[in-house]
């Protein structure tokens, strides 16, 4: 936080102090189990993430952008047809939930953007039960700016 004050030679002319505050940017990442694609903004670390954003906006932050990055592993999915579709659903669900969460009072200050949805990770080798191999690539990640 920085504060500055300036006075002119004329006594009637005074410039009020201006407080400049830099706000922290936040990150959140959730790793999904196979074919899972939805989170609740009212639970766990995602709840903490949105609470911090609300606090900053209440404290004077003018606006915030939440960037969404999502991924699906290369383990085939029949439920979604393609892994690209699963990654896209994860991103869209997160965007919808965040917009819904902020829509009442803060919609004009919160911008939610899907930056990427991709399929990533090691090639599938008929070992879907190998969670340590594939789960790191089944995620949704949020970054503010």
């Amino acid at each position: 936080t920085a504060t500055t004050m300036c006075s002119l030679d004329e006594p009637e002319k005074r410039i009020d102090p201006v407080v400049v505050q830099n706000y922290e940017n936040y990150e959140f990442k959730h790793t999904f189990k196979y074919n899972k694609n939805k989170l609740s903004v009212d639970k766990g670390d995602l709840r903490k993430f949105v609470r911090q954003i609300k606090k900053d906006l209440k404290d004077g932050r003018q606006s915030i952008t939440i960037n969404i990055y999502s991924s699906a592993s290369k383990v085939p999915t029949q439920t979604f047809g393609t892994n690209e579709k699963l990654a896209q659903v994860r991103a869209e669900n997160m965007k919808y939930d965040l917009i819904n969460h902020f829509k009442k009072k803060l919609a004009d200050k919160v911008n939610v953007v899907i930056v990427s949805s991709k399929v990533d990770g090691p090639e599938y080798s008929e070992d879907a039960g190998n969670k340590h191999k594939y789960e790191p690539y089944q995620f949704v990640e949020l970054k503010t700016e």
Side-chain angles (χ1 to χ4, degrees), residues 107-119:
D108 59 330
K109 294 183 174 196
V110 178
N111 184 31
V112 182
V113 177
I114 296 174
V115 176
S116 70
S117 64
K118 63 182 179 179
V119 175

Side-chain angles (χ1 to χ4, degrees), residues 10 15 37 39 45 48 54 68 89 94 120 139-140 144:
E10 300 174 30
I15 299 173
N37 59 71
L39 295 173
D45 289 338
K48 292 176 191 172
K54 285 181 178 180
I68 300 172
V89 166
M94 184 85 292
D120 201 6
F139 65 84
V140 66
T144 63

Side-chain angles (χ1 to χ4, degrees), residues 47-85:
R47 180 180 182 190
K48 292 176 191 172
F49 178 84
V50 296
R51 279 186 168 179
Q52 190 59 56
I53 291 170
K54 285 181 178 180
K55 181 184 179 310
D56 281 4
L57 293 170
K58 182 181 177 190
D59 291 347
R61 189 171 186 161
Q62 296 298 307
S63 65
I64 192 164
T65 297
I66 304 171
N67 294 313
I68 300 172
Y69 306 83
S70 69
S71 178
S73 71
K74 295 181 180 178
V75 176
T77 175
Q78 292 181 356
T79 305
F80 294 91
T82 67
N83 291 353
E84 289 81 2
K85 179 67 175 167

Side-chain angles (χ1 to χ4, degrees), residues 30-40 70-73 75-77 79-80 82-83 85-91 93-94 131 135 137-140:
H30 175 80
T31 303
F32 289 101
K33 303 289 183 202
Y34 177 72
N35 270 348
K36 300 297 180 191
N37 59 71
K38 197 145 174 59
L39 295 173
S40 171
S70 69
S71 178
S73 71
V75 176
T77 175
T79 305
F80 294 91
T82 67
N83 291 353
K85 179 67 175 167
L86 173 56
Q88 182 181 359
V89 166
R90 287 177 174 156
N93 283 345
M94 184 85 292
K131 294 176 183 175
E135 276 187 6
Y137 304 96
Q138 301 174 160
F139 65 84
V140 66

